[in-house]
mmCIF file of all heavy atoms in Angstrom:
data_model
loop_
_atom_site.group_PDB
_atom_site.id
_atom_site.type_symbol
_atom_site.label_atom_id
_atom_site.label_comp_id
_atom_site.label_asym_id
_atom_site.label_seq_id
_atom_site.Cartn_x
_atom_site.Cartn_y
_atom_site.Cartn_z
ATOM 1 N N VAL T 44 132.236 17.060 231.697
ATOM 2 C CA VAL T 44 132.519 16.637 233.116
ATOM 3 C C VAL T 44 132.060 15.136 233.086
ATOM 4 O O VAL T 44 130.870 14.776 232.849
ATOM 5 C CB VAL T 44 131.726 17.357 234.141
ATOM 6 C CG1 VAL T 44 132.047 16.918 235.563
ATOM 7 C CG2 VAL T 44 132.026 18.830 234.022
ATOM 8 N N GLY T 45 133.040 14.230 233.229
ATOM 9 C CA GLY T 45 132.780 12.794 233.217
ATOM 10 C C GLY T 45 133.347 12.294 231.943
ATOM 11 O O GLY T 45 132.768 12.461 230.881
ATOM 12 N N VAL T 46 134.398 11.490 232.058
ATOM 13 C CA VAL T 46 134.989 10.952 230.841
ATOM 14 C C VAL T 46 135.007 9.388 231.044
ATOM 15 O O VAL T 46 136.084 8.782 230.952
ATOM 16 C CB VAL T 46 136.473 11.507 230.577
ATOM 17 C CG1 VAL T 46 136.877 11.105 229.123
ATOM 18 C CG2 VAL T 46 136.409 13.010 230.683
ATOM 19 N N GLY T 47 133.843 8.839 231.324
ATOM 20 C CA GLY T 47 133.758 7.370 231.395
ATOM 21 C C GLY T 47 133.188 6.848 230.045
ATOM 22 O O GLY T 47 133.733 7.279 228.997
ATOM 23 N N GLY T 48 132.307 5.834 230.186
ATOM 24 C CA GLY T 48 131.777 5.250 228.858
ATOM 25 C C GLY T 48 131.154 6.354 227.985
ATOM 26 O O GLY T 48 131.559 6.416 226.814
ATOM 27 N N VAL T 49 130.155 7.060 228.537
ATOM 28 C CA VAL T 49 129.420 7.995 227.732
ATOM 29 C C VAL T 49 130.365 9.208 227.276
ATOM 30 O O VAL T 49 130.541 9.621 226.169
ATOM 31 C CB VAL T 49 128.152 8.464 228.406
ATOM 32 C CG1 VAL T 49 127.490 9.543 227.544
ATOM 33 C CG2 VAL T 49 127.252 7.367 228.656
ATOM 34 N N PHE T 78 137.021 16.966 232.716
ATOM 35 C CA PHE T 78 137.124 16.637 234.138
ATOM 36 C C PHE T 78 136.764 15.244 234.456
ATOM 37 O O PHE T 78 135.725 14.655 233.906
ATOM 38 C CB PHE T 78 136.165 17.628 234.996
ATOM 39 C CG PHE T 78 136.510 18.988 234.881
ATOM 40 C CD1 PHE T 78 135.837 19.743 233.838
ATOM 41 C CD2 PHE T 78 137.213 19.608 235.760
ATOM 42 C CE1 PHE T 78 136.127 21.091 233.652
ATOM 43 C CE2 PHE T 78 137.488 21.047 235.666
ATOM 44 C CZ PHE T 78 136.919 21.755 234.479
ATOM 45 N N ARG T 79 137.493 14.562 235.331
ATOM 46 C CA ARG T 79 137.147 13.349 235.887
ATOM 47 C C ARG T 79 137.038 13.649 237.443
ATOM 48 O O ARG T 79 137.137 14.728 237.771
ATOM 49 C CB ARG T 79 138.201 12.201 235.624
ATOM 50 C CG ARG T 79 138.213 11.822 234.128
ATOM 51 C CD ARG T 79 139.064 10.669 233.953
ATOM 52 N NE ARG T 79 138.616 9.535 234.660
ATOM 53 C CZ ARG T 79 138.984 8.290 234.312
ATOM 54 N NH1 ARG T 79 139.789 8.123 233.401
ATOM 55 N NH2 ARG T 79 138.507 7.165 235.108
ATOM 56 N N SER T 80 136.755 12.524 238.210
ATOM 57 C CA SER T 80 136.460 12.886 239.628
ATOM 58 C C SER T 80 137.656 13.532 240.342
ATOM 59 O O SER T 80 137.455 14.316 241.222
ATOM 60 C CB SER T 80 135.845 11.699 240.365
ATOM 61 O OG SER T 80 136.617 10.564 240.088
ATOM 62 N N CYS T 126 128.386 14.176 231.948
ATOM 63 C CA CYS T 126 128.341 12.794 231.720
ATOM 64 C C CYS T 126 128.800 12.008 232.980
ATOM 65 O O CYS T 126 129.500 11.027 232.945
ATOM 66 C CB CYS T 126 129.200 12.362 230.525
ATOM 67 S SG CYS T 126 128.575 12.913 228.996
ATOM 68 N N THR T 127 128.370 12.555 234.159
ATOM 69 C CA THR T 127 128.618 11.804 235.400
ATOM 70 C C THR T 127 127.225 11.296 235.888
ATOM 71 O O THR T 127 126.215 11.622 235.320
ATOM 72 C CB THR T 127 129.221 12.752 236.480
ATOM 73 O OG1 THR T 127 128.108 13.575 236.966
ATOM 74 C CG2 THR T 127 130.342 13.611 235.923
ATOM 75 N N ALA T 128 127.293 10.636 237.061
ATOM 76 C CA ALA T 128 126.027 10.377 237.740
ATOM 77 C C ALA T 128 126.175 11.054 239.198
ATOM 78 O O ALA T 128 125.733 10.401 240.104
ATOM 79 C CB ALA T 128 125.871 8.881 237.878
ATOM 80 N N ASP T 129 126.840 12.157 239.221
ATOM 81 C CA ASP T 129 127.203 12.883 240.509
ATOM 82 C C ASP T 129 126.136 13.849 240.909
ATOM 83 O O ASP T 129 125.902 14.842 240.167
ATOM 84 C CB ASP T 129 128.573 13.523 240.354
ATOM 85 C CG ASP T 129 129.022 14.068 241.740
ATOM 86 O OD1 ASP T 129 128.224 14.190 242.577
ATOM 87 O OD2 ASP T 129 130.236 14.398 241.827
ATOM 88 N N ILE T 132 127.261 17.596 240.937
ATOM 89 C CA ILE T 132 127.252 18.351 239.706
ATOM 90 C C ILE T 132 125.820 18.707 239.424
ATOM 91 O O ILE T 132 125.642 19.926 238.997
ATOM 92 C CB ILE T 132 127.942 17.490 238.569
ATOM 93 C CG1 ILE T 132 129.310 16.962 238.931
ATOM 94 C CG2 ILE T 132 127.868 18.280 237.247
ATOM 95 C CD1 ILE T 132 130.298 18.077 238.996
ATOM 96 N N ALA T 149 123.552 13.925 230.557
ATOM 97 C CA ALA T 149 123.118 12.476 230.464
ATOM 98 C C ALA T 149 122.827 12.118 231.918
ATOM 99 O O ALA T 149 122.063 11.089 232.107
ATOM 100 C CB ALA T 149 124.278 11.714 229.937
ATOM 101 N N ASN T 150 123.190 12.851 232.848
ATOM 102 C CA ASN T 150 122.909 12.593 234.259
ATOM 103 C C ASN T 150 121.511 13.060 234.577
ATOM 104 O O ASN T 150 121.122 14.125 234.359
ATOM 105 C CB ASN T 150 123.902 13.603 235.110
ATOM 106 C CG ASN T 150 123.796 13.387 236.606
ATOM 107 O OD1 ASN T 150 122.980 12.661 237.061
ATOM 108 N ND2 ASN T 150 124.738 13.996 237.258
ATOM 109 N N LYS T 151 120.741 11.966 235.085
ATOM 110 C CA LYS T 151 119.244 12.183 235.351
ATOM 111 C C LYS T 151 119.003 12.850 236.680
ATOM 112 O O LYS T 151 117.872 13.293 236.935
ATOM 113 C CB LYS T 151 118.592 10.823 235.414
ATOM 114 C CG LYS T 151 118.487 10.074 234.151
ATOM 115 C CD LYS T 151 118.002 8.681 234.311
ATOM 116 C CE LYS T 151 119.038 7.740 234.571
ATOM 117 N NZ LYS T 151 120.047 7.363 233.491
ATOM 118 N N ALA T 176 119.141 12.934 226.405
ATOM 119 C CA ALA T 176 119.863 11.570 226.667
ATOM 120 C C ALA T 176 119.559 10.967 227.973
ATOM 121 O O ALA T 176 119.897 9.833 228.202
ATOM 122 C CB ALA T 176 121.429 11.833 226.565
ATOM 123 N N GLY T 233 128.790 -2.520 228.985
ATOM 124 C CA GLY T 233 128.656 -1.070 229.316
ATOM 125 C C GLY T 233 127.280 -0.609 229.418
ATOM 126 O O GLY T 233 126.962 0.594 229.399
ATOM 127 N N GLU T 236 124.155 0.983 234.690
ATOM 128 C CA GLU T 236 124.547 2.328 235.382
ATOM 129 C C GLU T 236 125.889 2.211 236.070
ATOM 130 O O GLU T 236 126.352 1.051 236.440
ATOM 131 C CB GLU T 236 123.499 2.544 236.466
ATOM 132 C CG GLU T 236 122.143 3.093 235.915
ATOM 133 C CD GLU T 236 122.438 4.524 235.185
ATOM 134 O OE1 GLU T 236 122.846 5.405 235.805
ATOM 135 O OE2 GLU T 236 122.058 4.537 234.030
ATOM 136 N N PRO T 237 126.574 3.318 236.310
ATOM 137 C CA PRO T 237 127.774 3.301 237.038
ATOM 138 C C PRO T 237 127.745 2.301 238.353
ATOM 139 O O PRO T 237 128.520 1.637 238.724
ATOM 140 C CB PRO T 237 128.117 4.635 237.529
ATOM 141 C CG PRO T 237 127.488 5.568 236.332
ATOM 142 C CD PRO T 237 126.237 4.681 235.845
ATOM 143 N N ALA T 362 120.419 1.992 225.133
ATOM 144 C CA ALA T 362 121.458 1.955 226.112
ATOM 145 C C ALA T 362 122.772 1.769 225.483
ATOM 146 O O ALA T 362 122.741 1.383 224.300
ATOM 147 C CB ALA T 362 121.282 0.898 227.160
ATOM 148 N N GLY T 363 123.867 2.097 226.129
ATOM 149 C CA GLY T 363 125.161 1.882 225.571
ATOM 150 C C GLY T 363 125.797 3.317 225.323
ATOM 151 O O GLY T 363 125.112 4.235 225.040
ATOM 152 N N THR T 367 124.068 6.904 223.703
ATOM 153 C CA THR T 367 123.830 7.895 224.665
ATOM 154 C C THR T 367 124.606 9.086 224.225
ATOM 155 O O THR T 367 124.153 10.347 224.371
ATOM 156 C CB THR T 367 124.251 7.412 226.083
ATOM 157 O OG1 THR T 367 123.560 6.156 226.258
ATOM 158 C CG2 THR T 367 123.875 8.419 227.130
HETATM 159 N N1 NAP W 4 125.789 4.117 229.774
HETATM 160 C C1 NAP W 4 124.500 4.280 229.291
HETATM 161 O O1 NAP W 4 124.017 3.499 228.428
HETATM 162 C C2 NAP W 4 123.779 5.434 229.665
HETATM 163 C C3 NAP W 4 122.503 5.747 229.156
HETATM 164 C C4 NAP W 4 121.801 6.968 229.543
HETATM 165 C C5 NAP W 4 122.306 7.720 230.452
HETATM 166 N N2 NAP W 4 123.510 7.423 231.095
HETATM 167 C C6 NAP W 4 124.021 8.315 232.038
HETATM 168 O O2 NAP W 4 125.203 8.837 231.723
HETATM 169 C C7 NAP W 4 125.976 9.121 232.836
HETATM 170 C C8 NAP W 4 127.396 8.553 232.603
HETATM 171 O O3 NAP W 4 127.291 7.133 232.454
HETATM 172 P P1 NAP W 4 128.584 6.261 232.118
HETATM 173 O O4 NAP W 4 127.954 4.964 231.681
HETATM 174 O O5 NAP W 4 129.511 7.009 231.252
HETATM 175 O O6 NAP W 4 129.313 6.198 233.539
HETATM 176 P P2 NAP W 4 130.814 5.919 233.923
HETATM 177 O O7 NAP W 4 131.401 5.084 232.785
HETATM 178 O O8 NAP W 4 130.870 5.342 235.330
HETATM 179 O O9 NAP W 4 131.548 7.369 233.908
HETATM 180 C C9 NAP W 4 131.242 8.242 234.894
HETATM 181 C C10 NAP W 4 132.324 9.329 234.830
HETATM 182 O O10 NAP W 4 131.950 10.403 235.741
HETATM 183 C C11 NAP W 4 133.190 10.852 236.338
HETATM 184 N N3 NAP W 4 132.775 11.611 237.568
HETATM 185 C C12 NAP W 4 132.100 11.137 238.698
HETATM 186 N N4 NAP W 4 131.980 12.164 239.450
HETATM 187 C C13 NAP W 4 132.629 13.321 239.014
HETATM 188 C C14 NAP W 4 132.918 14.601 239.367
HETATM 189 N N5 NAP W 4 132.404 15.096 240.487
HETATM 190 N N6 NAP W 4 133.563 15.388 238.476
HETATM 191 C C15 NAP W 4 134.097 14.977 237.389
HETATM 192 N N7 NAP W 4 133.916 13.772 236.965
HETATM 193 C C16 NAP W 4 133.206 12.930 237.761
HETATM 194 C C17 NAP W 4 134.030 9.523 236.623
HETATM 195 O O11 NAP W 4 135.263 9.807 236.818
HETATM 196 P P3 NAP W 4 136.254 8.769 237.456
HETATM 197 O O12 NAP W 4 136.403 7.641 236.562
HETATM 198 O O13 NAP W 4 137.529 9.567 237.583
HETATM 199 O O14 NAP W 4 135.619 8.428 238.796
HETATM 200 C C18 NAP W 4 133.680 8.874 235.227
HETATM 201 O O15 NAP W 4 134.645 9.305 234.319
HETATM 202 C C19 NAP W 4 125.298 8.583 234.018
HETATM 203 O O16 NAP W 4 124.609 9.611 234.673
HETATM 204 C C20 NAP W 4 124.305 7.564 233.392
HETATM 205 O O17 NAP W 4 123.051 7.530 234.112
HETATM 206 C C21 NAP W 4 124.224 6.301 230.628
#
Side-chain angles (χ1 to χ4, degrees):
V44 186
V46 194
V49 176
F78 301 85
R79 290 186 64 160
S80 48
C126 292
T127 75
D129 187 340
I132 304 292
N150 183 354
K151 290 173 270 294
E236 283 297 302
T367 307

